[in-house]
Amino acid sequence: MTSSRTLITGAHGFVGKHLLAELGDEAVPLDADVTDVDAVARALRGEEPAAVVHLAAHSSVAASWVNEGEVWLVNAVGTVNVLSAVASEAPKARVLVVSTGDVYGRAEVFPTPEEAPLQLLSPYAAAKAAAELAVDHARRAHGIDVVVARSFSQIGPGQTEAFAVGSWAAQVARLELAEGGVLQVGDLEVRRDFTDVRDVCRAYKLLLDPKVPAETYNVCSGVAVRLAEVVEVLRSLARCPIEVEHDPERRRTADIPVQQGDAARLSRATGWKPELPLQRTLSETLDYARVAVQEERKPVR
């Protein structure tokens, strides 16, 4: 009999940890190298899960330009491997494959709906689009019940410094210990559609319901926020005076000026809407960074 458990690839990453918390006892990490189809199949064998969530991926757009081959291997081939293993070992499971709002590139319509054409401006976006093609094939060839989540910018406690908000929060926490200083930033004029990672994980949980049509869904707030506004909120939360300095090295290759998604399809299908306001998200992200910075300062015994 199929269990009620949900197996999660990439469960120990930023989003994975929050999804484990959201799903509780029903969530189980699927600890297998997704680039090894046999390893994924062995991990699934005999489990008969109710669902599989595929989160494992290289998720930094900037880093995808540096290690393009690895990004394609993990994000595209890794998805093929997970879907192949599900087809052979857990064909009754609902599968959630997480894609990205970056596939829309420089969109012409805002908020951007799922029907908008794809413009693949980075290796990361291209590999995620290829993963979506693998999903379509798995549906047609193997009859797998697969839903795709095109998630826009996710932020929240525990995000790494590879991402803008995670970097800024950590910098502010370190500057507080130094009683002031300079926050290094990139282009603050671009606008991003931010959603708290905990709201995103609620959306993922809802999409695991097999009654929800197996389609592609944007997961986003529907609001485009200038990065300058995010920096100002973090500065206002800081416990010391902080100056801002633009670092040309922090500008992305082929950056997208505006991202603003339309989550109407998701809302109609599940009733989901974001609940956590940006101010709270940034405050709690900074609190997490303060603890992490204090921990890194402790001497190694």
Side-chain angles (χ1 to χ4, degrees):
M1 179 180 293
T2 302
S3 73
S4 61
R5 292 192 300 172
T6 296
L7 303 184
I8 305 172
T9 72
H12 304 297
F14 167 56
V15 179
K17 291 175 181 177
H18 286 284
L19 186 58
L20 287 173
E22 176 66 33
L23 297 180
D25 293 340
E26 295 182 355
V28 180
L30 180 58
D31 292 326
D33 179 357
V34 298
T35 66
D36 183 342
V37 65
D38 292 331
V40 180
R42 285 194 300 271
L44 277 171
R45 194 162 296 145
E47 292 288 346
E48 297 187 1
V52 175
V53 180
H54 180 39
L55 290 175
H58 286 295
S59 53
S60 170
V61 175
S64 74
W65 291 97
V66 178
N67 201 359
E68 188 169 348
E70 181 69 12
V71 170
W72 278 94
L73 177 63
V74 174
N75 294 9
V77 178
T79 301
V80 172
N81 290 343
V82 169
L83 293 170
S84 176
V86 169
S88 63
E89 304 297 338
K92 296 181 180 180
R94 161 149 285 205
V95 183
L96 171 62
V97 171
V98 176
S99 185
T100 173
D102 273 47
V103 297
Y104 298 117
R106 295 186 179 93
E108 297 180 0
V109 176
F110 300 103
T112 307
E114 291 85 354
E115 296 83 5
L118 305 190
Q119 299 183 43
L120 309 174
L121 303 181
S122 69
Y124 170 70
K128 282 293 190 179
E132 291 191 25
L133 288 177
V135 166
D136 185 63
H137 172 72
R139 287 177 181 145
R140 297 173 186 272
H142 305 296
I144 299 177
D145 178 23
V146 194
V147 62
V148 172
R150 285 182 183 159
S151 300
F152 284 63
S153 299
Q154 305 161 66
I155 59 174
Q159 189 168 36
T160 73
E161 294 184 53
F163 299 88
V165 175
S167 170
W168 298 338
Q171 287 187 66
V172 169
R174 294 189 186 104
L175 291 172
E176 288 178 340
L177 293 179
E179 300 183 350
V182 178
L183 176 68
Q184 299 288 337
V185 301
D187 183 2
L188 298 184
E189 292 307 308
V190 300
R191 292 189 287 161
R192 290 291 177 264
D193 186 326
F194 291 114
T195 308
D196 189 294
V197 64
R198 293 161 291 189
D199 277 333
V200 171
C201 288
R202 283 195 307 104
Y204 292 170
K205 182 177 182 179
L206 292 168
L207 289 172
L208 292 178
D209 184 344
K211 295 178 182 177
V212 175
E215 299 182 26
T216 297
Y217 297 89
N218 288 338
V219 181
C220 53
S221 70
V223 179
V225 179
R226 286 175 63 243
L227 297 191
E229 296 175 38
V230 175
V231 168
E232 285 309 305
V233 171
L234 288 171
R235 287 183 68 194
S236 72
L237 294 169
R239 299 166 180 169
C240 65
I242 290 178
E243 300 298 322
V244 175
E245 182 177 280
H246 293 267
D247 179 2
E249 296 297 320
R250 292 176 180 265
R251 288 179 175 268
R252 279 187 188 174
T253 302
D255 211 348
I256 299 169
V258 181
Q259 289 181 324
Q260 182 183 11
D262 181 352
R265 179 185 292 178
L266 174 62
S267 180
R268 288 193 301 268
T270 67
W272 179 88
K273 62 179 180 179
E275 296 178 353
L276 300 174
L278 181 60
Q279 178 88 16
R280 173 179 166 182
T281 299
L282 294 175
S283 177
E284 293 178 357
T285 299
L286 180 54
D287 285 341
Y288 187 100
R290 286 170 175 141
V291 174
V293 167
Q294 289 286 357
E295 287 295 318
E296 73 184 18
R297 294 294 182 98
K298 290 182 178 179
V300 177
R301 295 184 179 180

